[in-house]
Amino acid sequence: MKFFIAYEELQSMICQKSGKSVKVHADNANDTVLLTYQMEVNVPILGKITKDIGVSVAFNGIKDTDLDISYTLSRGMNLVAQGVRIFLNEQIERTGLMRWGTEENQVILNLEKLAEKMHIDGVDRITNMVTIKDIHATAEGIEVFAVLKNIC
C-alpha cells in the first residue's frame, strides 16, 4: 500500500506543532526534499538581519521505525551542526529521538518517538498494523510504501 503526504500538509503540520513557518518542496536531486526557514536575528549596530536557512534531506532507507537520512547544509550551518553534534552528542542520543549514522551528515530518526514528542497521535497504532518498507520524495510530496503485518 502507498501513503502520500503532500508538502503543503507537511508544512501545515510543522507550523501547527512548532509555530515555525517552514517551506518544504522537492529538491532537484532524486529522493531529496528541501526544507527552508527564514531566520531573523538582531545584530548590534547592524540591526535586524534576515537569512534563509535550508537543509536538503535525502532518504537512505527505513528499518522498522528508524528512518535513515542524509542532510546537506550550507558551509556555515554545517559548522553549527558539527558543533551541536560534538557538544550535545550524548544528550541527543539519550532522548532516543535520533542517533548519528556512520557517515558524516547521516542521522537515524526514530519515527515513533518523534511522533510521540510532537504529540502526533496514532502513529504507534499504524506501525503495529503495517511495516514501512520505503520512503521516496516526489515533485508533489512524500510517498510512503508499507505492507500489512500478519495481525492474526
Side-chain angles (χ1 to χ4, degrees), residues 8-79:
E8 293 80 22
E9 283 182 78
L10 195 53
Q11 288 173 175
S12 177
M13 183 174 50
I14 291 169
C15 188
Q16 286 176 344
K17 299 299 179 180
S18 71
K20 307 290 183 197
S21 179
V22 176
K23 293 180 183 166
V24 183
H25 52 90
D27 200 353
N28 292 334
N30 276 348
D31 243 7
T32 306
V33 176
L34 184 62
L35 293 96
T36 55
Y37 174 72
Q38 192 173 67
M39 189 171 98
E40 292 182 352
V41 178
N42 281 321
V43 179
I45 301 173
L46 298 177
K48 186 187 289 187
I49 295 175
T50 302
K51 177 79 174 155
D52 285 336
I53 298 173
V55 59
S56 182
V57 177
F59 300 112
N60 301 326
I62 188 162
K63 183 174 181 176
D64 299 321
T65 59
D66 290 339
L67 178 61
D68 182 346
I69 64 169
S70 297
Y71 60 90
T72 305
L73 300 165
S74 67
R75 187 175 299 160
M77 288 309 296
N78 199 38
L79 288 171

Side-chain angles (χ1 to χ4, degrees), residues 2 4 12 19 23 31-32 35-36 42 46 50 56 78 84-85 96 107 110 113-115 127 131 133 137 141-142:
K2 179 170 74 172
F4 181 78
S12 177
K23 293 180 183 166
D31 243 7
T32 306
L35 293 96
T36 55
N42 281 321
L46 298 177
T50 302
S56 182
N78 199 38
V84 167
R85 185 174 180 169
V107 176
N110 183 302
K113 290 191 180 194
L114 279 171
T127 56
T131 300
K133 292 294 190 181
I142 298 172

Side-chain angles (χ1 to χ4, degrees), residues 78-92 100:
N78 199 38
L79 288 171
V80 171
Q82 287 174 347
V84 167
R85 185 174 180 169
I86 290 168
F87 290 114
L88 299 177
N89 182 31
E90 289 180 29
Q91 292 86 343
I92 289 171
W100 307 109

